[in-house]
Amino acid sequence: MKNLVIPIFLFALISLCTTDATAQVGGNFPFLEGETLEDAIVSLPEDTKGKYTLVGLAYSKRSEDELNSWLVPVYDKFLRSSEEAGLFASFTYDVNVYFVPMFTGVKKVAAGRAKKKAIENIDSRLHQYILFYKGDIKSYKDQLDLGRKDRPYFFVLDENGKVVYATEGGYSDKKMEEITDILDEAEE
């Protein structure tokens, strides 16, 4: 009996220590509705069906800071117009992108002020990609395995809204490479 307890304990400990958010891969992304900085209402994944989508979620100030580390690299890789891309225009992707700061519980009251501040401080070319969510967090935490509120979570959804990739934390070249590999494969 003792021999069985140790491997189970080690398995549980290893599971808790993994940093990649992979429990939700293969499932459908739950319904999430928010408002862009341009005041457009967007419903995920309904409004993005037919196209691959990258979604970044953050539900605390600290995770929002790490979420912001993705803004410029994602813009440069996926959102630049072909005129801006210049020499690299043939390497552009046709993908939806949404960065979602989530205001839940008592923080919902601060959403309006945060949105105003974001409009002033974030490049206007990104406004359509910032989606403010106000509401409950529990169902998202459960369905998407959002265990650590100090980390942002990123998901790649296929054209039907199914999660095909998940990760957490700040930007890294390795994570971007994994995302682009998925998108390249989808375009083949």
Side-chain angles (χ1 to χ4, degrees):
M1 181 70 163
K2 284 183 183 180
N3 292 339
L4 183 59
V5 173
I6 291 172
I8 290 172
F9 172 75
L10 286 175
F11 176 75
L13 185 62
I14 290 167
S15 297
L16 288 173
C17 292
T18 59
T19 57
D20 240 357
T22 56
Q24 64 284 17
V25 171
N28 291 324
F29 191 82
F31 177 82
L32 184 147
E33 187 173 84
E35 185 175 80
T36 69
L37 294 181
E38 296 178 336
D39 297 325
I41 302 297
V42 176
S43 299
L44 300 176
E46 283 72 19
D47 292 342
T48 62
K49 289 204 174 169
K51 223 166 135 174
Y52 272 67
T53 303
L54 175 62
V55 179
L57 303 175
Y59 63 101
S60 75
K61 178 61 180 148
R62 183 155 181 225
S63 66
E64 206 174 305
D65 292 341
E66 283 192 8
L67 179 78
N68 290 339
S69 73
W70 286 80
L71 285 174
V72 171
V74 167
Y75 180 83
D76 288 345
K77 191 72 163 180
F78 303 122
L79 303 174
R80 280 192 304 180
S81 68
S82 55
E83 295 83 39
E84 289 177 297
L87 186 59
F88 301 103
S90 62
F91 299 108
T92 58
Y93 291 86
D94 186 22
V95 62
N96 295 306
V97 174
Y98 290 100
F99 295 95
V100 186
M102 303 176 85
F103 292 85
T104 64
V106 296
K107 294 177 191 164
K108 287 189 263 186
V109 184
R113 186 173 51 242
K115 183 177 175 186
K116 225 180 234 185
K117 188 176 175 183
I119 289 169
E120 294 170 3
N121 295 323
I122 295 176
D123 187 316
S124 62
R125 293 176 293 179
L126 293 170
H127 286 190
Q128 65 185 318
Y129 307 108
I130 311 292
L131 187 64
F132 274 68
Y133 166 79
K134 292 189 294 186
D136 180 48
I137 189 69
K138 184 174 177 9
S139 62
Y140 300 105
K141 285 173 88 170
D142 293 345
Q143 292 179 40
L144 296 172
D145 196 23
L146 309 180
R148 296 178 54 192
K149 73 178 189 174
D150 63 335
R151 313 264 310 174
Y153 293 84
F154 283 84
F155 305 94
V156 175
L157 314 182
D158 71 7
E159 63 276 345
N160 297 309
K162 181 177 150 188
V163 177
V164 294
Y165 174 81
T167 191
E168 65 181 65
Y171 172 82
S172 75
D173 290 337
K174 180 181 184 283
K175 292 173 189 174
M176 180 63 84
E177 186 177 320
E178 292 168 350
I179 291 168
T180 56
D181 286 349
I182 289 167
L183 297 175
D184 288 341
E185 189 176 302
E187 288 184 4
E188 290 177 352

